[in-house]
Amino acid sequence: SAVISQKPSRDICQRGTSLTIQCQVDSQVTMMFWYRQQPGQSLTLIATANQGSEATYESGFVIDKFPISRPNLTFSTLTVSNMSPEDSSIYLCSVEGRGQGRIGELFFGEGSRLTVL
Amino acid sequence: AQSVTQLDSQVPVFEEAPVELRCNYSSSVSVYLFWYVQYPNQGLQLLLKYLSGSTLVESINGFEAEFNKSQTSFHLRKPSVHISDTAEYFCAVKGAGGTSYGKLTFGQGTILTVHP
């Protein structure tokens, strides 16, 4: 298993500002994943953060809006830029279990709940 | 691409009653299937999964789910629920094979509330 710590756990932000969410994992992992959970909706993958290379973004998400850093094998940040109320969501960091038998087994942080006014 | 539909957004039940949380998926390829659970004020965690083999899979706390390929379903069941089962449950699917590491397609979640 993996223990994932995220901060902040929640924040209230003003429209037009940016916020950086930090994610720390207790073991070295090649890939870290950022998901978004909008109110009343399912989780959606934003991007995959690879150590030593640019993040890979899913359709509908762009680097200018959600820049990601991955400075080492245990840490990543996601920035939500120029926020609007539509960005109010829970943002989740996750990693995948290792080995064939752990395919799809994601470990999640407790999430960062952002409210944009 | 895959999609997941959880047919019930909320399911209220009384303690010790049976419960079924429904999940249907669509996919053009073979899939792996998962149920995740989020207890109040906690992070998401894996409850059970189907990768291959027996179509009936079980969790350590008495839940089970059956992969039904013909009906493209993966319903979650428990014969007798406890107050502590109150949580939000997410069904998820992942295409088998390929390199879509970490990418699961989630349903919208079902909030299970167990009443005394």
Side-chain angles (χ1 to χ4, degrees):
Chain A
S1 65
V3 177
I4 301 172
S5 303
Q6 275 186 245
K7 56 181 179 182
S9 58
R10 59 179 64 226
D11 207 339
I12 299 174
C13 308
Q14 297 298 317
R15 183 194 301 259
T17 63
S18 299
L19 182 78
T20 297
I21 302 167
Q22 299 179 8
C23 177
Q24 180 77 49
V25 185
D26 68 342
S27 58
Q28 294 184 339
V29 293
T30 304
M31 291 181 281
M32 297 173 71
F33 309 99
W34 287 98
Y35 276 82
R36 180 175 74 180
Q37 184 180 11
Q38 293 181 297
Q41 298 187 29
S42 64
L43 285 79
T44 304
L45 181 64
I46 298 171
T48 301
N50 304 294
Q51 199 274 330
S53 64
E54 292 286 330
T56 303
Y57 289 82
E58 297 298 310
S59 176
F61 298 97
V62 295
I63 187 171
D64 290 346
K65 177 67 175 178
F66 298 101
I68 287 172
S69 77
R70 185 74 203 279
N72 58 52
L73 290 172
T74 63
F75 188 79
S76 177
T77 67
L78 170 75
T79 299
V80 186
S81 302
N82 188 24
M83 287 185 284
S84 66
E86 292 71 34
D87 295 319
S88 297
S89 288
I90 300 173
Y91 292 85
L92 296 151
C93 174
S94 71
V95 301
E96 190 166 16
R98 295 181 181 180
Q100 192 71 9
R102 309 197 82 169
I103 291 172
E105 185 172 342
L106 296 181
F107 298 95
F108 287 91
E110 292 188 356
S112 299
R113 183 184 294 270
L114 267 54
T115 301
V116 184
L117 303 178
Chain B
Q2 293 81 39
S3 67
V4 178
T5 302
Q6 291 183 242
L7 297 163
D8 306 294
S9 59
Q10 298 193 51
V11 174
V13 294
F14 287 107
E15 195 172 19
E16 298 183 3
V19 71
E20 177 179 80
L21 307 183
R22 296 178 293 171
C23 172
N24 286 93
Y25 70 92
S26 67
S27 176
S28 57
V29 300
S30 297
V31 295
Y32 302 129
L33 293 156
F34 310 85
W35 277 97
Y36 280 80
V37 59
Q38 187 169 27
Y39 297 104
N41 301 314
Q42 295 186 29
L44 270 165
Q45 56 188 284
L46 181 69
L47 181 64
L48 50 73
K49 64 184 178 185
Y50 169 78
L51 301 183
S52 64
S54 172
T55 57
L56 184 65
V57 292
E58 299 178 351
S59 72
I60 59 173
N61 60 350
F63 282 94
E64 64 179 30
E66 186 163 18
F67 169 49
N68 188 319
K69 187 174 182 179
S70 63
Q71 297 186 9
T72 60
S73 68
F74 192 57
H75 301 330
L76 182 69
R77 301 183 181 95
K78 189 170 185 178
S80 176
V81 294
H82 302 288
I83 296 286
S84 59
D85 293 323
T86 294
E88 187 163 17
Y89 293 80
F90 293 90
C91 183
V93 64
K94 179 181 176 70
T99 58
S100 56
Y101 302 110
K103 183 175 182 179
L104 270 64
T105 300
F106 286 85
Q108 293 184 326
T110 299
I111 297 174
L112 173 65
T113 304
V114 182
H115 298 284

